Amino acid sequence: LAQPRVQPLDRRQGDAVGLVALSDAATRILPPQRGQRHLHRVFHQLEALAPGGVWPGWPRLERLFTAGGIRGLTVLVSDLCEREDEIRTVAAKLAGLRHDVAVLHIAARGDVAFAYHGPPAFEELETGRRLELDADAARAAYLERAAREATSLRAGFAEVRVDYARFTLDQPLDLALRQYLRRRARVA
């Protein structure tokens, strides 16, 4: 399927920018507006966010993204640690409503490369569950499963016309986003 032609955000074009920060406990909303001052508010809110909680289900989100029938670029930023594919479901539903959707998957470099040795203890942030294992013995199986999951994510998002990119936390965010936006602009 062909991706819709979308121009990258350009404040000189007067694009409106908004922010919806979600968790199961709270929702912060800055409605889309134009202007440099509003863009700085969005950046300030992004800097102030702290990760936590779980992604709310589609019934709670539907009214946020369908009110007024306005469509645009929706960027979902997440570690994609899901309980039941809730983030993928929201991305697919938004794409089905003809939003241009991009999922930016944030991952730790250590998790991507599995650069652990010996018997580390891992804690799942969402549940607090702890797992101890021999990292050296588990590395090959972990990397194989992670590669299959990455391929599945890319294919699943492409199938529903959702752009997907993975970033690691050790990359400077501004550089990573610029590279992503340049690539996205070339594809469009």
Side-chain angles (χ1 to χ4, degrees):
L1 298 172
Q3 285 284 357
R5 291 188 59 79
V6 176
Q7 297 299 317
L9 175 68
D10 184 344
R11 67 176 184 251
R12 293 167 299 182
Q13 288 179 197
D15 292 326
V17 177
L19 174 68
V20 178
L22 305 165
S23 76
D24 55 339
T27 302
R28 286 192 201 162
I29 300 172
L30 283 177
Q33 292 181 18
R34 292 173 177 82
Q36 192 69 24
R37 178 177 280 164
H38 180 71
L39 186 59
H40 286 292
R41 272 189 232 114
V42 169
F43 290 150
H44 178 72
Q45 286 295 313
L46 284 170
E47 288 176 350
L49 289 176
V54 296
W55 189 271
W58 177 249
R60 181 167 153 221
L61 301 177
E62 184 173 14
R63 63 182 166 75
L64 290 172
F65 292 104
T66 59
I70 298 171
R71 290 188 291 276
L73 172 62
T74 302
V75 179
L76 304 174
V77 180
S78 173
D79 63 5
L80 291 180
C81 293
E82 304 175 281
R83 292 170 292 166
E84 300 175 4
D85 293 338
E86 57 273 5
I87 299 169
R88 293 176 235 209
T89 298
V90 167
K93 287 186 179 284
L94 289 171
L97 292 169
R98 297 184 13 217
H99 285 260
D100 181 13
V101 181
V103 173
L104 305 183
H105 181 183
I106 308 300
R109 172 69 63 196
D111 293 344
V112 171
F114 204 72
Y116 307 104
H117 297 283
F122 296 94
E123 182 176 343
E124 187 177 63
L125 295 176
E126 288 77 17
T127 66
R129 189 181 86 171
R130 293 180 55 86
L131 172 68
E132 293 185 29
L133 56 82
D134 180 346
D136 297 306
R139 181 172 296 103
Y142 174 88
L143 291 174
E144 182 180 318
R145 183 175 179 185
R148 282 194 314 267
E149 176 66 15
T151 299
S152 174
L153 277 172
R154 281 186 183 83
F157 284 130
E159 185 176 308
V160 295
R161 299 180 60 170
V162 169
D163 195 22
Y164 168 82
R166 183 170 70 181
F167 300 95
T168 56
L169 293 170
D170 62 339
Q171 293 175 282
L173 182 59
D174 60 335
L175 177 63
L177 286 174
R178 281 190 185 107
Q179 289 172 345
Y180 166 73
L181 291 171
R182 276 190 217 111
R183 179 189 60 78
R184 183 178 162 89
R186 281 193 303 267
V187 171

